[in-house]
Amino acid sequence: MLTLKDYRVFVSSTSMDLQEQREAAFRAITRLELIPVVMEGFGAHTHSPIEVCRSKVGECRYFVLIVGFMYGSTYEDGKSFTEHEYECAVDAGAKIKVFMMSDDAVVRGAFIEKGAGAEKLEAFKRRLRTNHTVQYFETADQLGTLIKDTLSEELRKRDHDEERHEKDPRGRGEHGRGHGEGNEEGRGSERTSGGGDVPHRTADSREQLGASIERVLLAAGVKAGAELATAWVGKALADAGVRWNEQGYPKLKAMLQDFDVENGGFFRFRDVVQNGGKQTLVTYVGRKVECKAPRPVPASVKVDRDGPLGRAASAACEAALRSPEYAEPAALPDDAPESVSASVNVPKSMRARLASLLKGLDEKDVPELVETAWALARERSAVRHDGERLLFPVPVSTDAASLGYVELTIMPSVKGELEAKEWYKPWFVCFVSMRVTSVGATGAPVRTEAFRPIDALGRFSDFSRAAETLLDQLVELALDEQWSWFAPSVGRRRVILENYLRATFARLAWEDGLIRRGRAGAPAKGVMFDEGFAGGSHVCLSSDGTFAAFNTGLISESFNDIYACLRRSGGSGEFSCVGFCTVERSDLSRELIRKIPRLPLRARYFTKIGELLYDPERTLVSNVEHILVGNLERLPVAFLRRELGGLPGLAELFDSVERDGSQRGVLLARLRQTITADRMALESLENGFRTAVERSKKLVEWDYKMAVPSYYPTKNRMNFLLPLCLSSPHAADAALVVELLESGNYEGQTILTLSQAYIDARCIARPASEWLRPPR
């Protein structure tokens, strides 16, 4: 039986000139219920692009190569990425199908290679014609038909092969792992009794293996009670070096079943039918983490107990210990960090989140603040456990009159090849609570709420602390798309997807009144989160309040809406995200249909299609000085050097940054001081910026798709993103955020890096403009 997991098709081509053709290929492939795979969907990696390409192409049965009149971007050896992808397909033994644009096709002159690139392209075409049967096309529709017909014929051949394998199961070979066939680690195999002998293990060896399995799951962020796909568990264990065959088990499932709760283990199993096939889900029950007694602050960690931060951290610990959450002192695990600076990575997003809550302090104070708070919380046992996560109070002010604290959560980092990186630390900050607990005159904790619309999903549910397996489930279910922008390191991997879900939920919450603005004269200022929310048409609740669902705005390969499903006990408190589904599949979909009378509506960002179009006839005004001084770090260094590099003493500093990127902060501080004190320097920077804005306006007049709609949750409004070509006239390296004012004019409000801009634009739809795409 053919399944989506079995059939992947790698689509290779140049991207800018063949966008319509690529979309036609994607449509043809998905209509055959196959999965299109592209290089730009892999995100950032620690391996070289060629190594990643070889790995990904090796997972695909078919390789569709589309060749136009551009040779494309080249790798460091001068060979194009497309030709490298082709060579990886040859090495992997994939079935290669070549589709070449006919000489009679109508093509823009800008998309015809010239010079040395044209010679390389012609040589590549000769190579393809020699080794393959090439099919020619003129239009995108013709290409889609050719790909559909070609792959349909291949599938018919596959059906014949599958029937032969069913008659002779051993025809697949002993391991059968080529192109995803027969991989026991990647499939939910049948629960067997007699499918092979379980190895005899001593009590000590079984305990050691169980401890290894638990460590892997906890390091991956799995909480007790989480229900996981068997395939995901197998991959997580294999990546960590715990493999069923090396442990002497006949199958992955046999190893997991050896730790069934009935055998004194920590797993429960449930058979379900998902995606047209039978699968087994694994629930991690968990065991109590054994901890040693807390230890005093090491002498090597310098903490000023009598300083403002030390006194504030001490008061926060004392207040926390009076609360029910900290009623029972928690012992620290053996590997608990002694020092934040030495052992804990604090991601930039977490620093900014914490800084937004501080009073009288700012982001530069965060490192010392967290170091001091952890040291004193560790010393006074003001630390509580959530699985392997450790939570402790961090003060938000040094002012006794406004003293309060938030909880900061740290957890073990993912181990493996990342440990060799110089920036790697064994722990990382994974969450900063937005709930501020104030300390009254009596020292008793009084909880107050700090709320931003983008945090509505984290306030409504445990999404911010959910295991990333849930996001993996959503990615597997949805149409193929790149959801990772930054290199996977410590922390969570799917940055774009997480931000997309948070922004989408914020829009849904605005629509249903879960987020609302405070009334004039009311004590609460700005926006508020409705704690008494009873459900709406976008964020839907069951009649008993125990089940909730919302439309993610994403669709499956069958073009069906994907819904997020959440549960809570007793009809009150925080929801827990339990998974994602479409209405036609899985037990979760049956629960959704049974408990929610009307399926949740999608988020809508506009009422008229014209709202998605930028009007170049309107006046655009930008507060250039405010934008530049406040966002200097978002400007490319090449632009800054061109405009300011001639000032005394700055050329050497720019050279230093080119040699050592860690000096960028020093450069930005110097530049900010310079343009603040020297009006001529600021004017030089402003002139360069205004030139880029004028160029952007001309681009939008030429092609309306250059203005990309985006969504801003705080104001619940749409903006436009305009490309800024700062370093080069022909390549965007930043985005200008433009808002339509009540007067009918446009205002340029701020600038974003391309990564930030893509995340904001993805809320509404996958950006179709050629300047705003995920990186290759």
Side-chain angles (χ1 to χ4, degrees), residues 216-268:
V216 171
L217 296 180
L218 293 172
V222 177
K223 297 173 63 176
E227 192 170 56
L228 313 166
T230 305
W232 184 91
V233 176
K235 184 179 185 304
L237 294 175
D239 289 346
V242 182
R243 299 177 175 85
W244 51 270
N245 52 351
E246 295 177 0
Q247 297 293 332
Y249 291 89
K251 294 183 178 181
L252 165 66
K253 190 166 292 186
M255 181 176 75
L256 300 182
Q257 288 172 347
D258 202 14
F259 296 94
D260 193 305
V261 290
E262 297 177 0
N263 298 328
F266 41 81
F267 284 139
R268 286 197 183 97

Side-chain angles (χ1 to χ4, degrees), residues 188-350:
S189 56
E190 297 293 334
R191 190 171 184 175
T192 60
S193 58
D197 295 330
V198 175
H200 174 73
R201 310 186 70 92
T202 65
D204 288 344
S205 66
R206 183 175 180 276
E207 182 65 24
Q208 290 175 0
L209 176 59
S212 298
I213 293 173
E214 282 201 277
R215 279 197 297 270
V216 171
L217 296 180
L218 293 172
V222 177
K223 297 173 63 176
E227 192 170 56
L228 313 166
T230 305
W232 184 91
V233 176
K235 184 179 185 304
L237 294 175
D239 289 346
V242 182
R243 299 177 175 85
W244 51 270
N245 52 351
E246 295 177 0
Q247 297 293 332
Y249 291 89
K251 294 183 178 181
L252 165 66
K253 190 166 292 186
M255 181 176 75
L256 300 182
Q257 288 172 347
D258 202 14
F259 296 94
D260 193 305
V261 290
E262 297 177 0
N263 298 328
F266 41 81
F267 284 139
R268 286 197 183 97
F269 301 87
R270 182 168 70 95
D271 292 328
V272 298
V273 176
Q274 288 187 347
N275 301 330
K278 188 176 181 181
Q279 298 186 25
T280 298
L281 299 180
V282 182
T283 298
Y284 171 59
V285 177
R287 298 186 292 193
K288 184 176 181 180
V289 180
E290 295 184 3
C291 304
K292 301 296 183 182
R295 297 175 292 277
V297 178
S300 58
V301 179
K302 304 301 181 184
V303 174
D304 184 4
R305 289 176 171 79
D306 298 324
L309 294 181
R311 292 196 299 270
S314 295
C317 290
E318 293 173 3
L321 290 171
R322 293 189 179 94
S323 66
E325 293 91 344
Y326 291 84
E328 296 183 5
L332 293 175
D334 284 337
D335 60 347
E338 294 185 344
S339 164
V340 171
S341 59
S343 305
V344 182
N345 184 291
V346 185
K348 184 177 180 180
S349 60
M350 293 296 105

Side-chain angles (χ1 to χ4, degrees), residues 527-538:
V527 296
M528 302 171 59
F529 184 87
D530 185 2
E531 298 288 358
F533 179 70
S537 58
H538 298 83

Side-chain angles (χ1 to χ4, degrees), residues 345-414:
N345 184 291
V346 185
K348 184 177 180 180
S349 60
M350 293 296 105
R351 292 199 304 270
R353 185 181 175 98
L354 180 56
S356 70
L357 301 171
L358 300 179
K359 301 175 183 179
L361 300 169
D362 54 36
E363 192 165 345
K364 67 178 173 41
D365 299 309
V366 168
E368 183 181 358
L369 174 66
V370 175
E371 181 78 76
T372 303
W374 169 251
L376 295 181
R378 168 191 167 98
E379 182 180 66
R380 301 183 180 211
S381 299
V383 180
R384 64 189 185 94
H385 290 284
D386 178 11
E388 276 206 348
R389 293 173 169 86
L390 302 178
L391 296 84
F392 63 99
V394 177
V396 297
S397 173
T398 57
D399 181 4
S402 59
L403 182 63
Y405 68 86
V406 295
E407 279 193 321
L408 189 145
T409 306
I410 62 174
M411 68 176 293
S413 301
V414 177

